[in-house]
Amino acid sequence: MSRTTPQRTPPIQIDAPSIPAASHAASPAGPLSPGSLRGILSHWRFRAPDSTTPHARAPLTHRILAARGVTDPRFLDATLRDLHNPSLMPDLDKAAARILDALDRNQSIVVYADYDVDGVSSAAILSHLLHALKPDVRLATYLPHRLEEGYGLNREAIARLADEHDLIISVDCGITAAIPAREAKARGRDLIITDHHTPPKSVTDLPEAFALVHPLTPGHTPYPFPHLCGAGVAYKLAWRLATLSSGGDKVHPPLRALLIELLALAAMGVIADVVPLLGENRVIARFGLQQITRSSIVGVRALCEESKLHEGIDASDIGFRLGPRLNAIGRLGHARAALELLMTTDADRAATIAKSLTGWNDDRRRIEGDISTQAEKLAVDSGMTSDGHRAIVLADAAWHRGVIGICCSRLVGLFHRPTILLQQEGDLCHGSGRSIDGFDLHEALAACGSHLESFGGHSMAAGLKLRTDRLDAFRDAFVSYVNARLAPGDLIARTLVDTRTSAAELSIDAVAGMAQLAPFGRENPEPRLLIENAVIQGTPRTFGSAGNHVMFDVMHESRPLRVKFWKGSTLLARHAVRLARNTRVHLLGTPKLDTWNGNRRVEFTVHDLAIADA
């Protein structure tokens, strides 16, 4: 698919609410109640009852862990030994034995992958390991076209692949693919499904496959950690293939080195798929991030070079720089080039692909911006952002199906309610949905399943397809379902506060120590700390080439502190620049270390604020 520049639409303006006062403050100089406080963007609530014990009695990092209920003494010191035995996963040993048998018999193998970062990295992990076990392996990969074939296994593709290959292995898809699985069986081909998405509730609804490798396969003892992504499952299978081929629990040194290397790919899948960064996911992400910039995989190095990442990368670099590049081509065209990048041994070819992925990502950003702007206006104009309409369901024939999932996330962030966007294409609508914490989107779609042709995903994100003539009925059913389960108060974003702090406590050493909590992501977010009754010094000022960031200094308990509002929260920055000198504010944010000309100092990135002098 060639890239085209979409027509731009003018941005819309959504009125900002007035800056709320700290209504729960006993007095301008008094402590906040441990109940909720309304900031500009959200309600604040302490994760745990926050005592008035002086800060010095417990180190900052320890208070954060205590607030989050983390009692595992190894949380800060986890190692690769904390990963569970792969054999504990249902059917994994059976799958590994069948794959090794295929290698021994020189059978043809095809890996069928999803087209997102998780799927592409899963396919690359398994492919690298199979090539290491048998350099002349008869191996192919297959990624469906997002727009032409849609997500997951499809019967037509499985029929073709079954005629061409002896063994089919899915990665990051397939756990609900009953019809494609029957096609493989009818053609006499073994199908191994590896997946992590929500499985059917009943054993009788599972696909008839040779092996179903899934942490939560019905009818099997659950795997100890149920939150792996597709790349995590593929990594566990690769690990077991390495041990079995080595003749025991010890892995031959070359394979061991490869498994360490493949953590870089697994980390990309873990972070890009936004699974909880706890347990095994956190271990994989932590050690995989360390591998990325020193990777021997030429495509990973080329991707880092193109993204201008050279050392010390964190989870946000995957989420905002590497991941979007790998995802974009699959959203607008075909993802095969992204997989080729992670598989090629040709450095020049890798550099060429990496550069092209940047171009695709630039196009994706333009298209996404246009759709989001249109969808925001439609949501407001149609009344879908009112308290009585607690879900958004919108459709448009001109929207690009490949990017509407990202646009859903934008609307959820703006209006804090489950959101589904669809592209109308003749008699069918293809769409994506995103949810808010505490609302199971997959369960909601199942409840409205009579209106749908198909759907799949998990509690926070899903894809769906329905007939155009069922759109209105589905919208009514979905909104009714959501309205019955969410109250108007659930439509206001909530920010969990880890603990109070002070400018004096935020020393360079204390803030540097918070890095032990990383990597940050879902269910292990960056710390959110509360500074009460800080007094603005001087006049807030904008900075940056576009002038869309804001900073000012505050005085807190006789200590100065610089605070910054980044463009990612334009609503907050728009308010901050109007704040007057000597205004007393409560600040909710994350301390950061800023390095300039070899000097380090602590700055406070503000995520929300409330006026204290009211």
Side-chain angles (χ1 to χ4, degrees):
M1 178 182 293
S2 61
R3 301 201 303 273
T4 58
T5 301
Q7 295 294 315
R8 294 199 58 80
T9 57
I12 64 168
Q13 296 294 327
I14 298 177
D15 291 336
S18 59
I19 303 178
S23 58
H24 290 286
S27 68
L32 296 178
S33 160
S36 85
L37 172 74
R38 179 68 191 270
I40 293 174
L41 305 179
S42 64
H43 279 309
W44 310 348
R45 184 174 293 277
F46 286 105
R47 289 182 178 273
D50 193 71
S51 70
T52 56
T53 303
H55 303 306
R57 292 198 177 181
L60 184 58
T61 299
H62 292 180
R63 296 208 311 279
I64 294 169
L65 289 175
R68 296 181 178 191
V70 177
T71 58
D72 183 357
R74 297 194 55 76
F75 185 87
L76 299 179
D77 302 305
T79 71
L80 293 176
R81 294 182 181 275
D82 293 302
L83 296 176
H84 297 297
N85 185 338
S87 296
L88 296 175
M89 193 172 299
D91 273 4
L92 190 141
D93 277 3
K94 182 180 181 182
R98 177 64 182 90
I99 294 169
L100 291 180
D101 176 66
L103 295 180
D104 290 340
R105 294 161 57 190
N106 198 33
Q107 290 185 323
S108 177
I109 302 172
V110 60
V111 176
Y112 190 121
D114 190 18
Y115 36 63
D116 65 0
V117 175
D118 194 19
V120 168
S121 58
S122 299
I125 287 168
L126 204 52
S127 298
H128 277 292
L129 198 284
L130 293 179
H131 279 293
L133 294 177
K134 187 179 175 66
D136 61 346
V137 60
R138 297 169 60 199
L139 178 65
T141 54
Y142 185 86
L143 282 73
H145 192 288
R146 180 189 288 264
L147 303 185
E148 296 174 5
E149 298 174 85
Y151 166 78
L153 305 183
N154 68 79
R155 188 186 63 79
E156 294 78 10
I158 290 296
R160 293 195 305 272
L161 295 174
D163 289 341
E164 299 169 0
H165 303 280
D166 302 299
L167 176 63
I168 304 171
I169 307 170
S170 82
V171 291
D172 192 33
C173 59
I175 195 59
T176 61
I179 293 175
R182 283 199 292 271
E183 184 70 32
K185 185 176 182 179
R187 293 174 180 266
R189 292 293 182 256
D190 286 339
L191 169 65
I192 294 172
I193 290 175
T194 76
D195 199 0
H196 74 110
H197 293 93
T198 304
K201 292 184 178 180
S202 172
V203 173
T204 59
D205 293 329
L206 289 169
E208 296 180 66
F210 178 85
L212 295 175
V213 182
H214 190 291
L216 295 175
T217 305
H220 291 259
T221 301
Y223 183 69
F225 184 73
H227 304 299
L228 289 173
C229 66
V233 175
Y235 186 82
K236 288 306 184 87
L237 179 56
W239 179 359
R240 186 59 177 138
L241 286 168
T243 58
L244 278 178
S245 66
S246 299
D249 292 335
K250 296 291 185 180
V251 180
H252 293 321
L255 289 178
R256 184 182 185 279
L258 177 60
L259 287 173
I260 297 296
E261 185 69 60
L262 294 178
L263 283 169
L265 301 180
M268 289 184 185
V270 165
I271 295 167
D273 217 51
V274 201
V275 289
L277 275 185
L278 301 171
E280 286 194 300
N281 287 336
R282 184 169 178 272
V283 174
I284 291 171
R286 181 179 182 181
F287 289 94
L289 284 168
Q290 296 173 9
Q291 289 295 126
I292 288 177
T293 52
R294 62 189 184 207
S295 177
S296 64
I297 300 174
V298 296
V300 173
R301 292 204 308 270
L303 191 62
C304 288
E305 185 67 29
E306 177 64 27
S307 305
K308 297 179 173 56
L309 295 173
H310 303 291
E311 60 182 28
I313 73 169
D314 59 23
S316 66
D317 293 316
I318 303 293
F320 295 104
R321 299 172 80 173
L322 301 185
R325 283 175 166 82
L326 289 171
N327 258 334
I329 191 170
R331 292 186 179 279
L332 303 182
H334 198 291
R336 64 173 67 91
L339 179 56
E340 182 187 353
L341 175 67
L342 301 182
M343 292 301 303
T344 185
T345 58
D346 184 330
D348 291 337
R349 175 60 180 157
T352 298
I353 295 174
K355 186 174 183 62
S356 74
L357 295 186
T358 295
W360 284 101
N361 191 47
D362 290 343
D363 288 349
R364 186 272 306 168
R365 292 170 63 187
R366 287 193 292 271
I367 296 170
E368 175 196 331
D370 290 341
I371 295 174
S372 294
T373 297
Q374 295 164 9
E376 288 167 15
K377 187 175 189 306
L378 279 174
V380 173
D381 291 348
S382 61
M384 290 189 182
T385 60
S386 66
D387 285 352
H389 205 292
R390 297 160 205 165
I392 295 172
V393 181
L394 297 169
D396 193 291
W399 290 347
H400 197 294
R401 196 192 317 166
V403 301
I404 53 178
I406 313 174
C407 301
C408 280
S409 297
R410 283 200 179 189
L411 264 66
V412 169
L414 186 61
F415 300 117
H416 200 70
R417 64 198 67 209
T419 299
I420 293 174
L421 299 181
L422 304 114
Q423 180 209 29
Q424 289 178 274
E425 188 176 25
D427 295 335
L428 289 175
C429 291
H430 303 262
S432 294
R434 297 294 184 269
S435 192
I436 60 176
D437 286 335
F439 184 83
D440 192 320
L441 180 60
H442 188 272
E443 205 169 86
L445 293 178
C448 303
S450 62
H451 303 290
L452 302 175
E453 295 293 301
S454 62
F455 70 93
H458 47 80
S459 62
M460 296 298 291
L464 64 156
K465 180 169 65 176
L466 67 152
R467 295 187 57 82
T468 301
D469 59 12
R470 302 297 297 168
L471 176 59
D472 289 341
F474 167 72
R475 180 189 289 115
D476 291 343
F478 184 78
V479 172
S480 295
Y481 181 93
V482 176
N483 281 357
R485 286 156 181 81
L486 294 180
D490 297 323
L491 307 180
I492 301 171
R494 287 168 170 76
T495 302
L496 293 177
V497 183
D498 288 301
T499 187
R500 292 176 169 90
T501 191
S502 66
E505 183 181 33
L506 297 180
S507 66
I508 289 176
D509 288 344
V511 175
M514 288 169 48
Q516 293 177 283
L517 301 169
F520 300 116
R522 182 181 164 198
E523 296 191 26
N524 186 45
E526 284 190 318
R528 293 291 187 265
L529 308 181
L530 176 62
I531 294 178
E532 302 172 70
N533 298 301
V535 180
I536 296 176
Q537 308 292 297
T539 303
R541 55 199 182 278
T542 60
F543 68 101
S545 58
N548 52 2
H549 312 303
V550 178
M551 67 178 171
F552 53 76
D553 295 319
V554 299
M555 188 68 70
H556 184 251
E557 297 179 358
S558 303
R559 295 291 185 96
L561 181 67
R562 171 152 297 176
V563 300
K564 288 184 175 179
F565 303 76
W566 295 97
K567 67 176 181 180
S569 181
T570 53
L571 176 62
L572 190 61
R574 195 158 66 240
H575 282 305
V577 77
R578 298 201 302 263
L579 291 172
R581 182 178 182 177
N582 293 327
T583 302
R584 193 180 296 270
V585 292
H586 301 313
L587 303 173
L588 185 62
T590 305
K592 305 279 188 178
L593 288 180
D594 178 69
T595 302
W596 181 255
N597 288 334
N599 297 315
R600 289 198 303 171
R601 72 173 178 182
V602 174
E603 296 182 338
F604 197 73
T605 295
V606 180
H607 304 295
D608 205 354
L609 68 84
I611 302 296
D613 290 328

